[in-house]
Amino acid sequence: MSHNEKIKQTLDALKAQINEHNYRYYVLDTPTIPDAEYDRLFRQLQDLEKNHPELITEDSPPQRVGDKPLSEFAEVQHEIPMLSLDNAFNEAEIFNFNKRIFDRLKTLDAINYAVEPKFDGVAVSIVYEHGKFKRAATRGDGQTGEDITQNVRTISSVPLVLRGKTIPDKLEIRGEIYMPLEGFNRYNQRAVAENEKIFANPRNAAAGSLRQLDPNITASRPLEFFAYGIGLTSESLAITTHKELLDQLQQWGIRVTTERAVFSSIEACQKFYETLLTKREKLPYEIDGMVIKVNDFSLQQKLGFVSRAPRWAIAYKFPAQEELTVLKAVDFQVGRTGALTPVARLEPVKVAGVIVRNATLHNMDEVHRKNIFIGDTVIVRRAGDVIPEVVAAVLERRPINAMKITLPTHCPVCHSAVIQKSTEAVARCSGGLICSAQQKEAIKHFASRKAMDIDGLGDKLVEALVDKELVHNVAEIYSLKQQQIVELERMGEKSAGNLIQAIEASKQTTLARFIFAIGIREVGEATAKLLAKHFKKLDKLMTSSIEELLSLPDIGPVVSENILNFFHEKQNRKIIDKLLQHGISWNETMDTVEKDQLLRDKTVVITGSFSNMSREEIREDLERRGAKVSGTVSKKTSYVIVGEAPGSKLTKATELGIPLLDEKQLLVLLQRSS
Ligand code: IVH
């Protein structure tokens, strides 16, 4: 074999391996190699191609982004029009849909419905010729779309080559390109930091990213694809139902959702809708409803179309996550570090099933960037468990007496001056520890579950304690007497006694929790853990140098300076001294020394409650042994720990056949590895 043939063989083997791993990662959702190994393969292929450009083929994984920017998008005629769907908003409307279908088919036999999420992104048509990615287009008006081939090529979950042998010569896949929530949030956070325009929602983000003339920009955006159907095929497929179609697409290596099912009654579809609605907030991408499709192709054909929508399908919409309302006023809330957050007071409006009265405006830069005035009609968005936010103002509806939003010159709580550094987006109250708003927030944070975990010391109680001037700082929590608590409204002897006990119990903690609890600006849970692990002793951290801090992974100049400033502040040192005098302590070996990493690389999910340990304790214990504790069950989950009254995670785990551990088995496991 010649030298060049050998190289070509290596190239082909690498491409096949990479394609296989892409398939396992994107389509099967069960990667079999770590990301680093994948990156290594990819780089190896890239290097080979650099040295042998004559061997580069268009369908090679590193060749996703290659083309030059376009000056405009070309038009594409859809040979089979891309339709839209009729909408239903409640149970009665889908029951009507069901009835119409029975009437039209004049049948009494059960009808099978295929159900799947309605993905909230951009509809695309992707054409494969001889199993190779050829062309992609937007839906446009349904007849004519735009050619976005070079942008769609950059999306890793769209395969460049299909798998299997019996693929039609020409195959048009239809589906949705979307931006996953995590990528969307990351994109916007970076955009805010760099003073760039942010996207109002993931759908706009996906649309905006696909509308780029330069494919390099699209390539930098985290886009993904799900297929939900087909368009034109050169040969008809030996397939008779929608379910079979999606299964076939998956076998060809095309990504389809796992959240799909077939039911033989509309009532069962309604149940699935309700389940999907509860899952909505946990999915890593946005969906705006569920699509119900008659499963049988022959019945679909009998039913046909009306104008631009099929009679055999309907979009059963979820409550909208964005609504319009009027911005009545803006107040400023003072946070733990004195940061002033503008809060929108709204004409109450129901968003995704919940009445929203307040929404965050983040900071003044955002207010200016979004050009929002008091009196404006605004778009309010409430997605998942994220705090509702004002996304934009509807400028056409701005009344003539609309008022500009201005930053107060003095703190609305303690009346100290408000200071805004030119380098920061946030303005802060300069009152520090004398500001009761900052006192309250510092104490709430200190007592919270992931910090000192003082059971029963909730937000309302902290506010009452500070308002009554019983507590001014976190150290004073430990001087509280039961009688003082009883004298507060709505506090009985028993709950006051429990609180005193919880305060006492919190004294035994971990160094990581303590570092997190004292509330150093921008030192979150993960950073606190890192600091505890590195310094092992509090005084080592308190007297550390900027060089030492900067030498730690993930700790940058801003956080280092915050840490130094915090411990430099006399008042803070005094409070720490007092806390230690009150007897707060931690076991120096437990929290800092690494345990046997028995659970390294394992992903564990916890559900239900436990009698011997809190979930938080279990989580810490598992993490100390190297496990990653996740909130959602997937095929990648190694174990699910099941306590009393487990939730839907148990159902999912059973469905997927994930090994389960009860509390007893868990304790054995934890003891074995300690
Ligand atoms: S089927 C003839 N299935 O919804 C049937 N559409 O309002 C055509 N969409 O433009 C569409 N998820 O972009 C179908 N699972 C799904 C979908 C879905 C999202 C979008 C699609 C279409 C729009 C129709």
Side-chain angles (χ1 to χ4, degrees):
M1 200 189 303
S2 76
H3 178 63
N4 245 17
E5 277 170 11
K6 260 196 205 139
I7 295 200
K8 189 169 172 307
Q9 220 174 35
T10 318
L11 274 172
D12 287 346
L14 276 169
K15 282 187 225 170
Q17 274 190 69
I18 290 170
N19 283 336
E20 179 67 25
H21 290 305
N22 273 341
Y23 173 67
R24 291 190 189 168
Y25 185 87
Y26 290 110
V27 181
L28 301 182
D29 199 21
T30 42
T32 46
I33 54 167
D35 291 357
E37 176 65 13
Y38 177 89
D39 294 342
R40 203 181 57 74
L41 289 172
F42 199 88
R43 236 172 295 129
Q44 209 180 332
L45 179 56
Q46 264 176 328
D47 288 347
L48 264 182
E49 288 190 341
K50 211 160 97 200
N51 294 330
H52 301 274
E54 73 284 2
L55 296 177
I56 294 179
T57 57
E58 228 197 351
D59 59 11
S60 172
Q63 302 306 321
R64 283 186 177 272
V65 211
D67 294 336
K68 293 187 186 61
L70 299 172
S71 52
E72 60 174 1
F73 294 114
E75 278 189 359
V76 169
Q77 296 297 326
H78 297 299
E79 290 174 67
I80 299 178
M82 288 184 79
L83 302 168
S84 64
L85 292 168
D86 275 343
N87 291 327
F89 294 93
N90 54 47
E91 199 169 343
E93 288 176 4
I94 61 151
F95 278 60
N96 264 334
F97 162 76
N98 181 56
K99 185 171 178 307
R100 282 198 302 272
I101 287 178
F102 272 93
D103 289 351
R104 203 163 255 280
L105 293 174
K106 298 194 177 60
T107 174
L108 293 171
D109 297 344
I111 290 173
N112 286 329
Y113 291 114
V115 294
E116 64 200 49
K118 185 169 190 299
F119 309 107
D120 206 1
V122 178
V124 286
S125 141
I126 304 177
V127 173
Y128 286 86
E129 279 179 16
H130 304 286
K132 291 195 175 159
F133 175 92
K134 197 74 200 168
R135 193 213 70 195
T138 60
R139 173 168 175 261
D141 61 5
Q143 307 287 339
T144 313
E146 283 180 326
D147 187 328
I148 50 166
T149 305
Q150 56 168 354
N151 287 344
V152 175
R153 265 187 82 86
T154 68
I155 301 172
S156 317
S157 51
V158 173
L160 295 178
V161 190
L162 298 181
R163 301 164 63 86
K165 293 200 179 63
T166 47
I167 306 166
D169 287 349
K170 183 166 177 179
L171 172 65
E172 181 191 355
I173 309 291
R174 292 185 174 173
E176 200 89 351
I177 288 174
Y178 64 94
M179 190 179 281
L181 282 164
E182 195 199 327
F184 166 73
N185 291 328
R186 209 171 346 106
Y187 179 87
N188 269 357
Q189 273 161 17
R190 192 203 48 83
V192 166
E194 289 170 24
N195 238 322
E196 285 172 20
K197 200 175 146 271
I198 61 170
F199 285 115
N201 55 45
R203 177 167 31 85
N204 289 359
S209 301
L210 285 175
R211 216 178 291 123
Q212 298 294 328
L213 290 166
D214 180 356
N216 284 292
I217 299 181
T218 312
S220 73
R221 306 280 171 82
L223 299 175
E224 288 182 6
F225 175 72
F226 272 130
Y228 52 64
I230 53 169
L232 195 71
T233 59
S234 49
E235 300 98 60
S236 48
L237 309 174
I239 276 174
T240 58
T241 64
H242 183 69
K243 181 196 180 309
E244 283 170 19
L245 174 65
L246 294 192
D247 292 346
Q248 173 63 268
L249 293 182
Q250 172 154 15
Q251 275 164 26
W252 282 330
I254 295 162
R255 195 155 168 264
V256 293
T257 175
T258 48
E259 307 290 334
R260 62 187 202 268
V262 176
F263 297 110
S264 58
S265 74
I266 200 74
E267 288 81 7
C269 296
Q270 170 67 24
K271 279 226 176 72
F272 188 85
Y273 173 87
E274 283 156 20
T275 317
L276 194 59
L277 189 53
T278 62
K279 273 193 190 165
R280 180 191 200 179
E281 308 205 335
K282 290 173 212 122
L283 290 176
Y285 48 86
E286 287 215 325
I287 61 177
D288 59 342
M290 175 178 96
V291 184
I292 308 179
K293 300 173 183 174
V294 170
N295 194 35
D296 255 67
F297 287 161
S298 59
L299 297 184
Q300 287 189 3
Q301 207 162 16
K302 273 192 197 153
L303 288 160
F305 304 88
V306 241
S307 66
R308 294 171 55 201
R311 285 202 189 89
W312 45 264
I314 198 156
Y316 189 2
K317 299 289 285 271
F318 286 155
Q321 289 180 319
E322 286 179 7
E323 294 289 352
L324 289 180
T325 188
V326 173
L327 176 62
K328 292 195 302 187
V330 173
D331 289 337
F332 285 82
Q333 256 170 16
V334 186
R336 173 162 63 84
T337 57
L340 260 61
T341 307
V343 179
R345 306 294 180 205
L346 305 165
E347 196 61 60
V349 61
K350 200 166 183 176
V351 190
V354 171
I355 303 279
V356 175
R357 295 186 166 79
N358 309 309
T360 180
L361 285 160
H362 299 292
N363 58 52
M364 288 307 284
D365 278 2
E366 284 270 308
V367 169
H368 295 140
R369 191 174 17 238
K370 290 178 179 166
N371 183 14
I372 294 169
F373 280 45
I374 296 167
D376 271 345
T377 295
V378 291
I379 301 171
V380 185
R381 176 178 160 82
R382 189 187 83 87
D385 42 18
V386 185
I387 326 170
E389 61 169 346
V390 175
V391 173
V394 183
L395 294 181
E396 307 83 80
R397 294 212 205 161
R398 175 165 290 169
I400 36 170
N401 59 353
M403 262 182 2
K404 219 176 144 121
I405 301 167
T406 51
L407 183 71
T409 54
H410 291 83
C411 172
V413 179
C414 74
H415 310 294
S416 304
V418 167
I419 295 170
Q420 176 149 31
K421 281 196 203 151
S422 57
T423 51
E424 282 190 8
V426 288
R428 289 176 202 277
C429 153
S430 61
L433 291 168
I434 68 137
C435 176
S436 69
Q438 292 186 52
Q439 291 173 358
K440 285 175 186 172
E441 295 313 310
I443 297 167
K444 287 178 197 170
H445 170 79
F446 184 83
S448 65
R449 207 167 49 82
K450 291 182 173 170
M452 301 300 282
D453 194 18
I454 307 180
D455 216 17
L457 188 50
D459 292 0
K460 286 264 149 11
L461 190 54
V462 171
E463 278 163 25
L465 288 168
V466 173
D467 287 341
K468 293 259 149 66
E469 299 207 37
L470 291 171
V471 176
H472 303 84
N473 59 53
V474 296
E476 290 178 11
I477 297 172
Y478 294 93
S479 320
L480 274 174
K481 298 279 172 301
Q482 185 163 348
Q483 202 43 45
Q484 294 176 304
I485 302 170
V486 173
E487 280 163 19
L488 291 174
E489 274 171 74
R490 272 179 279 147
M491 259 297 191
E493 284 281 346
K494 184 145 188 288
S495 23
N498 288 344
L499 180 60
I500 293 286
Q501 258 181 27
I503 292 174
E504 198 53 36
S506 74
K507 289 182 181 172
Q508 185 58 45
T509 184
T510 66
L511 178 57
R513 278 177 176 271
F514 186 77
I515 295 171
F516 176 59
I518 54 181
I520 306 166
R521 203 180 286 174
E522 284 175 64
V523 173
E525 216 192 342
T527 309
K529 279 184 185 163
L530 183 88
L531 293 170
K533 199 165 141 188
H534 177 81
F535 288 100
K536 298 193 174 65
K537 288 198 161 34
L538 181 63
D539 24 324
K540 290 256 163 58
L541 168 65
M542 289 176 69
T543 53
S544 63
S545 65
I546 189 107
E547 291 78 20
E548 182 164 15
L549 289 167
L550 282 172
S551 75
L552 297 178
D554 298 330
I555 295 204
V558 176
V559 176
S560 303
E561 203 180 304
N562 288 345
I563 296 172
L564 289 186
N565 287 345
F566 185 91
F567 291 119
H568 193 75
E569 189 78 45
K570 248 209 199 111
Q571 192 61 25
N572 288 338
R573 297 182 87 104
K574 228 161 108 185
I575 291 177
I576 291 174
D577 278 348
K578 288 223 173 94
L579 287 169
L580 299 177
Q581 279 165 24
H582 279 296
I584 288 183
S585 64
W586 45 88
N587 182 338
E588 290 191 344
T589 51
M590 265 298 277
D591 161 64
T592 48
V593 179
E594 290 244 358
K595 291 259 165 143
D596 162 3
Q597 294 268 299
L598 186 79
L599 296 176
R600 217 173 62 205
D601 299 333
K602 295 271 190 281
T603 305
V604 182
V605 174
I606 309 173
T607 178
S609 57
F610 299 85
S611 42
N612 290 303
M613 299 167 96
S614 72
R615 278 167 69 134
E616 192 55 26
E617 283 167 341
I618 295 175
R619 188 168 74 94
E620 281 184 2
D621 224 333
L622 292 168
E623 282 177 351
R624 239 181 275 130
R625 288 164 170 86
K628 189 173 150 250
V629 179
S630 156
T632 44
V633 178
S634 75
K635 289 180 194 158
K636 288 174 222 155
T637 309
S638 322
Y639 304 108
V640 174
I641 319 270
V642 186
E644 285 289 316
S648 59
K649 289 176 195 156
L650 174 60
T651 328
K652 180 87 192 265
T654 322
E655 262 171 43
L656 294 174
I658 311 285
L660 308 176
L661 291 179
D662 63 15
E663 184 163 2
K664 248 205 204 134
Q665 290 167 315
L666 170 71
L667 290 176
V668 172
L669 178 79
L670 293 181
Q671 261 148 29
R672 185 147 53 93
S673 58
S674 45

